[in-house]
Amino acid sequence: MDLSATPPPLRGRTVAAQAWRDVAFVHWRVDPEVVRPLMPRGVRPDVFDGSSWVGLVAFELGAARIGPLPPARRWGTFTEINVRLYGIDDEGRHGVVFASLEAASLPAVIGARALFSLPYMFAHTGKRRLEGSGLSLRYTSQRHTARLGGRGPGFDLTVDVDTSRAVRDDLSTFLTARWGLFQTRFGRTLWLPNTHEPWTLHPARVRHLEDELCAAAGLPGIVDAPPESVLFSPGVDARFAAGSTIRVAPDRR
């Protein structure tokens, strides 16, 4: 499957849907061997221009629903922060591999862990637009801990967006046109397909970043260097289909 900004048909019934709004994509190059241990069984690091990539993706999630049910009010609208990687399997499917996901909705965290075994973490998250002549947004997160008075990994990102220009090149397609994700569940690797309208992407720059999420996910030192790609999208409406187990050769991890 070649990467394309236009999604392939979503086969099967829709099992979940979400609205993603005000999406900031911040990415760094990384040696593929650094992220290889974090790939699910049967998935290897996906590579662009000789590198794999680590992303911090921050956005507002809303209108979440399961199957034909209306959006779940108890999940609400909340900011989500993801540490994500990129993998490819033997069938040539290019997908996201989540190292961690921060969310402020406890029902959403419990539901995503129970239904898909995704590594969601309960956190205090937020997003706000900053005053000024242009579009600037600040995203924050502080992970909750079980220990009274404990402090989990934090995150604080401010981006300035250039809405006068659009971005559509091979790198932006590689980083954003991902029509599924890989996830380990009960010892098996699942492929969970999704679809949405093509991203509208604008160039952005990081005004401020403090991040402890990458290190907590097993990727220390990533954010010490300036990011090599910063993008922003007003958002999309995403749908997910039922997953399938990927075939893994006996001699493959």
Side-chain angles (χ1 to χ4, degrees):
M1 180 196 303
D2 292 331
L3 277 170
S4 171
T6 302
L10 188 66
R11 295 181 174 86
R13 64 185 179 89
T14 298
V15 299
Q18 301 172 347
W20 302 334
R21 297 290 182 263
D22 288 344
V23 189
F25 301 91
V26 185
H27 282 91
W28 291 260
R29 290 178 182 269
V30 65
D31 188 306
E33 295 307 311
V34 171
V35 298
R36 190 178 300 277
L38 301 177
M39 294 288 125
R41 186 169 179 264
V43 179
R44 61 189 183 276
D46 206 354
V47 172
F48 179 89
D49 193 25
S51 299
S52 199
W53 295 72
V54 174
L56 282 168
V57 181
F59 61 99
E60 182 180 278
L61 187 151
R65 63 181 176 86
I66 300 295
L69 300 175
R73 292 183 179 179
R74 66 183 181 277
W75 290 13
T77 297
F78 55 89
T79 300
E80 183 170 312
I81 315 294
N82 300 335
V83 179
R84 74 184 207 179
L85 314 173
Y86 302 97
I88 184 171
D89 68 2
D90 287 344
E91 294 187 35
R93 293 177 294 197
H94 303 263
V96 170
V97 176
F98 287 109
S100 67
L101 308 95
E102 315 294 306
S105 168
L106 185 57
V109 169
I110 294 172
R113 282 183 168 272
L115 293 173
F116 305 111
S117 298
L118 289 167
Y120 265 91
M121 306 293 178
F122 185 37
H124 178 74
T125 64
K127 175 188 72 74
R128 66 185 179 94
R129 296 197 176 201
L130 305 182
E131 295 183 0
S133 57
L135 176 59
S136 299
L137 298 101
R138 183 185 182 192
Y139 308 82
T140 58
S141 177
Q142 188 72 61
R143 188 180 297 176
H144 297 297
T145 65
R147 183 167 58 87
L148 183 64
R151 177 184 176 277
F155 174 86
D156 192 335
L157 168 70
T158 300
V159 294
D160 300 320
V161 183
D162 182 357
T163 57
S164 69
R165 295 188 293 136
V167 177
R168 178 57 66 199
D169 55 22
D170 289 345
L171 177 58
S172 67
T173 299
F174 177 88
L175 297 174
T176 66
R178 296 281 160 164
W179 309 115
L181 66 93
F182 298 107
Q183 179 58 32
T184 301
R185 183 169 174 80
F186 302 133
R188 301 178 301 161
T189 301
L190 300 182
W191 167 254
L192 303 173
N194 71 76
T195 190
H196 53 73
E197 61 270 35
W199 291 102
T200 298
L201 296 168
H202 301 291
R205 72 174 185 89
V206 172
R207 184 197 302 184
H208 175 78
L209 174 63
E210 297 179 34
D211 173 66
E212 298 171 326
L213 299 177
C214 283
L219 296 161
I222 294 295
V223 302
D224 292 346
E228 300 204 37
S229 172
V230 185
L231 301 167
F232 175 84
S233 175
V236 295
D237 296 315
R239 294 183 293 117
F240 300 82
S244 59
T245 303
I246 73 169
R247 294 188 295 271
V248 180
D251 60 341
R252 295 288 298 277
R253 62 173 291 274

